[in-house]
Tab-separated table of all heavy atoms in Angstrom:
chain	number	residue	atom	x	y	z
A	53	ARG	N	21.051	-3.339	-21.140
A	53	ARG	CA	22.369	-2.800	-20.794
A	53	ARG	C	22.507	-1.406	-21.381
A	53	ARG	O	23.342	-1.181	-22.258
A	53	ARG	CB	23.490	-3.697	-21.383
A	53	ARG	CG	23.598	-5.077	-20.770
A	53	ARG	CD	24.308	-4.985	-19.404
A	53	ARG	NE	24.293	-6.256	-18.702
A	53	ARG	CZ	23.312	-6.681	-17.926
A	53	ARG	NH1	22.240	-5.952	-17.760
A	53	ARG	NH2	23.383	-7.835	-17.301
A	54	CYS	N	21.673	-0.486	-20.927
A	54	CYS	CA	21.685	0.836	-21.563
A	54	CYS	C	23.059	1.500	-21.405
A	54	CYS	O	23.637	1.495	-20.310
A	54	CYS	CB	20.608	1.724	-20.955
A	54	CYS	SG	18.963	1.029	-21.230
A	55	VAL	N	23.530	2.071	-22.507
A	55	VAL	CA	24.882	2.633	-22.514
A	55	VAL	C	25.070	3.709	-21.461
A	55	VAL	O	26.164	3.891	-20.941
A	55	VAL	CB	25.250	3.250	-23.895
A	55	VAL	CG1	25.674	2.190	-24.870
A	55	VAL	CG2	24.133	4.116	-24.453
A	151	THR	N	14.482	5.785	-28.092
A	151	THR	CA	14.481	5.808	-29.545
A	151	THR	C	13.299	4.997	-30.062
A	151	THR	O	12.820	4.095	-29.376
A	151	THR	CB	15.802	5.215	-30.100
A	151	THR	OG1	15.711	5.129	-31.530
A	151	THR	CG2	16.083	3.818	-29.550
A	153	ASN	N	13.724	3.742	-33.166
A	153	ASN	CA	14.403	3.103	-34.282
A	153	ASN	C	15.064	1.806	-33.787
A	153	ASN	O	15.819	1.828	-32.816
A	153	ASN	CB	15.453	4.097	-34.800
A	153	ASN	CG	16.374	3.503	-35.823
A	153	ASN	OD1	17.191	2.626	-35.525
A	153	ASN	ND2	16.265	3.983	-37.042
A	154	GLU	N	14.775	0.710	-34.484
A	154	GLU	CA	15.236	-0.589	-33.969
A	154	GLU	C	16.744	-0.714	-33.822
A	154	GLU	O	17.248	-1.212	-32.826
A	154	GLU	CB	14.728	-1.715	-34.875
A	154	GLU	CG	13.333	-2.124	-34.466
A	154	GLU	CD	12.743	-3.218	-35.322
A	154	GLU	OE1	13.512	-4.010	-35.900
A	154	GLU	OE2	11.506	-3.253	-35.407
A	155	GLU	N	17.457	-0.238	-34.862
A	155	GLU	CA	18.932	-0.356	-34.801
A	155	GLU	C	19.491	0.460	-33.638
A	155	GLU	O	20.382	0.035	-32.920
A	155	GLU	CB	19.547	0.187	-36.081
A	155	GLU	CG	19.786	-0.899	-37.114
A	155	GLU	CD	20.185	-0.306	-38.434
A	155	GLU	OE1	21.013	0.622	-38.452
A	155	GLU	OE2	19.628	-0.769	-39.448
A	156	LYS	N	18.934	1.665	-33.487
A	156	LYS	CA	19.423	2.527	-32.416
A	156	LYS	C	19.066	1.938	-31.051
A	156	LYS	O	19.832	2.011	-30.102
A	156	LYS	CB	18.809	3.918	-32.571
A	156	LYS	CG	19.872	4.980	-32.469
A	156	LYS	CD	19.283	6.340	-32.515
A	156	LYS	CE	19.073	6.790	-33.948
A	156	LYS	NZ	18.430	8.122	-33.965
A	157	TYR	N	17.887	1.345	-30.980
A	157	TYR	CA	17.472	0.712	-29.712
A	157	TYR	C	18.491	-0.360	-29.339
A	157	TYR	O	18.901	-0.489	-28.183
A	157	TYR	CB	16.077	0.100	-29.869
A	157	TYR	CG	15.484	-0.387	-28.565
A	157	TYR	CD1	14.733	0.464	-27.768
A	157	TYR	CD2	15.681	-1.699	-28.127
A	157	TYR	CE1	14.174	0.023	-26.559
A	157	TYR	CE2	15.139	-2.144	-26.928
A	157	TYR	CZ	14.385	-1.270	-26.151
A	157	TYR	OH	13.862	-1.716	-24.957
A	158	GLU	N	18.898	-1.096	-30.360
A	158	GLU	CA	19.867	-2.165	-30.106
A	158	GLU	C	21.199	-1.581	-29.632
A	158	GLU	O	21.824	-2.090	-28.707
A	158	GLU	CB	20.060	-2.984	-31.383
A	158	GLU	CG	20.612	-4.342	-31.090
A	158	GLU	CD	20.217	-5.385	-32.140
A	158	GLU	OE1	19.238	-5.173	-32.889
A	158	GLU	OE2	20.920	-6.398	-32.179
A	159	PHE	N	21.599	-0.465	-30.237
A	159	PHE	CA	22.853	0.173	-29.814
A	159	PHE	C	22.727	0.685	-28.377
A	159	PHE	O	23.598	0.470	-27.540
A	159	PHE	CB	23.208	1.339	-30.760
A	159	PHE	CG	24.320	2.179	-30.225
A	159	PHE	CD1	25.637	1.720	-30.259
A	159	PHE	CD2	24.067	3.414	-29.624
A	159	PHE	CE1	26.676	2.477	-29.718
A	159	PHE	CE2	25.098	4.170	-29.072
A	159	PHE	CZ	26.408	3.700	-29.128
A	160	ILE	N	21.610	1.351	-28.077
A	160	ILE	CA	21.478	1.978	-26.746
A	160	ILE	C	21.290	0.930	-25.650
A	160	ILE	O	21.882	1.037	-24.575
A	160	ILE	CB	20.306	2.995	-26.723
A	160	ILE	CG1	20.624	4.173	-27.637
A	160	ILE	CG2	20.041	3.497	-25.300
A	160	ILE	CD1	19.469	5.171	-27.816
A	161	THR	N	20.480	-0.084	-25.924
A	161	THR	CA	20.102	-1.008	-24.830
A	161	THR	C	20.792	-2.367	-24.914
A	161	THR	O	20.687	-3.167	-23.982
A	161	THR	CB	18.588	-1.300	-24.850
A	161	THR	OG1	18.298	-2.074	-26.031
A	161	THR	CG2	17.749	-0.044	-24.872
A	162	GLY	N	21.445	-2.642	-26.067
A	162	GLY	CA	22.054	-3.966	-26.243
A	162	GLY	C	21.010	-5.052	-26.438
A	162	GLY	O	21.293	-6.231	-26.205
A	163	SER	N	19.800	-4.663	-26.862
A	163	SER	CA	18.729	-5.659	-26.989
A	163	SER	C	17.846	-5.339	-28.194
A	163	SER	O	17.811	-4.209	-28.673
A	163	SER	CB	17.900	-5.660	-25.700
A	163	SER	OG	16.527	-5.573	-25.977
A	164	ASP	N	17.102	-6.346	-28.637
A	164	ASP	CA	16.206	-6.100	-29.768
A	164	ASP	C	14.762	-5.950	-29.281
A	164	ASP	O	13.826	-6.340	-29.956
A	164	ASP	CB	16.330	-7.230	-30.802
A	164	ASP	CG	15.933	-8.580	-30.199
A	164	ASP	OD1	15.590	-8.617	-28.988
A	164	ASP	OD2	15.948	-9.586	-30.928
A	165	GLY	N	14.615	-5.365	-28.099
A	165	GLY	CA	13.283	-5.331	-27.458
A	165	GLY	C	12.401	-4.152	-27.799
A	165	GLY	O	11.385	-3.944	-27.117
A	166	LEU	N	12.719	-3.364	-28.839
A	166	LEU	CA	11.907	-2.172	-29.099
A	166	LEU	C	10.423	-2.511	-29.271
A	166	LEU	O	9.553	-1.861	-28.698
A	166	LEU	CB	12.427	-1.424	-30.336
A	166	LEU	CG	11.586	-0.220	-30.762
A	166	LEU	CD1	11.514	0.843	-29.667
A	166	LEU	CD2	12.115	0.413	-32.062
Side-chain angles (χ1 to χ4, degrees):
R53 292 282 173 274
C54 298
V55 280
T151 174
N153 171 292
E154 275 179 26
E155 266 171 44
K156 228 184 275 178
Y157 189 89
E158 201 153 341
F159 169 75
I160 294 174
T161 68
S163 130
D164 61 359
L166 175 61

